[in-house]
Amino acid sequence: MVDTEIILSWVLRIGVFASAIIMTVGLFVGANVILLGVFVLALTPFVRVLMASLCFLSQRNLVYFIIGLYVISVLVIGTLLSL
Amino acid sequence: MDPLIITAILAFGAFAGLIGVMLGLGGGVFMIIFFILALNIPAHQAVALSLLAVIASSSMGGSVYVRDKMTNVKLAMVLETCTVTGAVLGVFLALAMPASYVQFILGVVLFYTSFMMLRGRRAVETPVVIKDRLTVSGEFYDDNRRQTVKYSAIRMKIGLFFSLIAGAISGIIGIGGGVIMVPIMNLLMKIPMKASAATSNFMVGVTAAASAFLYLNRGFVDLYMAVPSVLGIMIGAYIGTRLMVRAESAILRRMLSVVLVFFGIVLLLNAGGILVW
């Protein structure tokens, strides 16, 4: 049985530290690298919602799996429409 | 960039992250006010930087609160269906509607919720527990009271409706929406303050992410200011999680009502055209 909390905590931690490191390196390397860090940060909530949804799927909790799919779909559609 | 400005952004970001994570707010409104008033940055850029800061504090705070099982992940997912829908609608509504109306309404709402939080401050939180398949329940360990607190979310339909409104307001103004979600969860749905704060903190990153790419894509993000702002808020957010678990719920509620009055005043000034973003 997967522990949803531990997985989500790791997703957030990796997103936070990866973006922090890339952005800091970018200060010395250039704006494009900072932008990469900004993208990693801005994508972290997307990955978090997707992973939560997949965790519920692996627990055969279909109601929450669908709820998660709905949230990620609205996020993605909203983002694509705003581009 | 001037090292003094970088230090100021780092320090203020840490402050916003600390208060934000303790109370379940993303810290976005603090950052907007700081960027506009202290650094004189144009409104759209201030909002763009603050949305990134909200994602940073939500993710940093979330990584700790989720691990410590303070966050109710199921409740967050259910409410997110409404906040995210609202946020996406709000982003488009913002183009058709003057933001000042929304700010005025939110200002009044924040005054009212602040009053409600102060009024209930002495009452000991007595969470409701319902054993029902459809009710979202949860529990967390309160370090301050040294006991496990069990609770259920009541008034789910009204909570979902207000979450939709909260999401729409967030999308229009460009915030994470924690200032609305924490009172909804704590006052309306009777979720203990700490669980409300941790769950709201988890949710605001998603609401902010719904509008972040719009601002990123239009090039509103000043990348060199984003670095100290994001790093500062991450540091503050980490410290905030440590302080929150030990704090007394009543004190958190009192802090929140003070912050809500402050934001209420700022939003009304903004709506009145005195402090414009």
Side-chain angles (χ1 to χ4, degrees):
Chain A
M1 182 107 159
V2 290
D3 190 334
T4 313
E5 268 95 0
I6 300 296
I7 292 175
L8 296 186
S9 169
W10 272 107
V11 168
L12 295 173
R13 214 173 303 171
I14 292 167
V16 163
F17 287 109
S19 64
I21 292 167
I22 298 171
M23 286 171 82
T24 311
V25 169
L27 277 182
F28 305 97
V29 179
N32 282 338
V33 177
I34 301 180
L35 188 62
L36 176 70
V38 167
F39 270 103
V40 171
L41 181 66
L43 282 173
T44 303
F46 288 71
V47 179
R48 190 275 272 171
V49 175
L50 189 66
M51 284 307 288
S53 185
L54 292 177
C55 285
F56 286 119
L57 178 67
S58 79
Q59 294 164 2
R60 305 262 186 282
N61 194 336
L62 288 183
V63 176
Y64 281 92
F65 169 61
I66 291 165
I67 287 174
L69 275 192
Y70 173 79
V71 175
I72 191 80
S73 313
V74 174
L75 261 182
V76 170
I77 292 168
T79 301
L80 291 178
L81 284 177
S82 73
L83 295 183
Chain B
M1 201 168 39
D2 190 342
L4 195 69
I5 294 181
I6 295 180
T7 316
I9 299 176
L10 258 175
F12 194 86
F15 164 77
L18 187 133
I19 302 288
V21 159
M22 282 186 82
L23 302 178
L25 323 170
V29 183
F30 284 122
M31 295 310 285
I32 293 180
I33 296 168
F34 171 73
F35 283 126
I36 290 176
L37 290 188
L39 299 182
N40 218 358
I41 291 172
H44 280 304
Q45 288 192 25
V47 171
L49 285 168
S50 105
L51 285 170
L52 285 178
V54 171
I55 298 175
S57 76
S58 169
S59 303
M60 174 55 105
S63 72
V64 180
Y65 286 151
V66 172
R67 186 199 62 199
D68 293 351
K69 311 222 187 269
M70 300 291 293
T71 310
N72 190 326
V73 175
K74 283 186 176 172
L75 181 67
M77 299 277 287
V78 173
L79 295 178
E80 269 166 8
T81 58
C82 288
T83 53
V84 170
T85 308
V88 170
L89 293 175
V91 169
F92 292 103
L93 273 179
L95 304 172
M97 185 197 234
S100 62
Y101 290 172
V102 184
Q103 283 159 3
F104 177 76
I105 296 166
L106 182 60
V108 175
V109 171
L110 291 186
F111 267 124
Y112 177 72
T113 46
S114 165
F115 168 73
M116 294 299 289
M117 300 230 68
L118 275 176
R119 207 181 59 164
R121 77 173 179 216
R122 259 165 293 149
V124 178
E125 285 185 321
T126 42
V128 186
V129 180
I130 305 168
K131 290 198 175 70
D132 174 341
R133 232 176 59 85
L134 285 174
T135 308
V136 183
S137 299
E139 61 175 60
F140 67 93
Y141 181 76
D142 191 336
D143 249 8
N144 183 265
R145 288 162 63 187
R146 295 182 188 282
Q147 66 181 64
T148 301
V149 181
K150 291 188 187 211
Y151 61 90
S152 300
I154 63 163
R155 304 199 187 110
M156 189 56 105
K157 280 178 200 153
I158 309 176
L160 285 170
F161 174 71
F162 279 108
S163 300
L164 186 70
I165 309 249
I169 292 175
S170 313
I172 294 171
I173 314 182
I175 57 172
V179 278
I180 322 174
M181 288 314 298
V182 179
I184 290 175
M185 284 191 256
N186 186 236
L187 294 176
L188 198 71
M189 306 179 76
K190 298 290 174 207
I191 295 158
M193 178 64 199
K194 289 190 178 181
S196 299
T199 305
S200 163
N201 172 269
F202 186 67
M203 294 172 60
V204 291
V206 175
T207 329
S211 32
F213 279 91
L214 177 76
Y215 288 88
L216 270 178
N217 188 50
R218 306 232 166 129
F220 291 143
V221 178
D222 181 321
L223 294 168
Y224 287 94
M225 283 197 183
V227 182
S229 144
V230 162
L231 292 180
I233 210 156
M234 282 175 179
I235 296 165
Y238 182 75
I239 301 168
T241 58
R242 300 294 77 189
L243 293 177
M244 185 271 234
V245 290
R246 289 187 203 121
E248 200 183 315
S249 296
I251 291 176
L252 294 175
R253 285 169 64 111
R254 216 167 308 165
M255 273 173 71
L256 181 61
S257 52
V258 172
V259 170
L260 291 178
V261 170
F262 174 65
F263 286 172
I265 294 170
V266 169
L267 285 164
L268 290 182
L269 286 178
N270 190 348
I274 299 162
L275 162 73
V276 180
W277 77 66

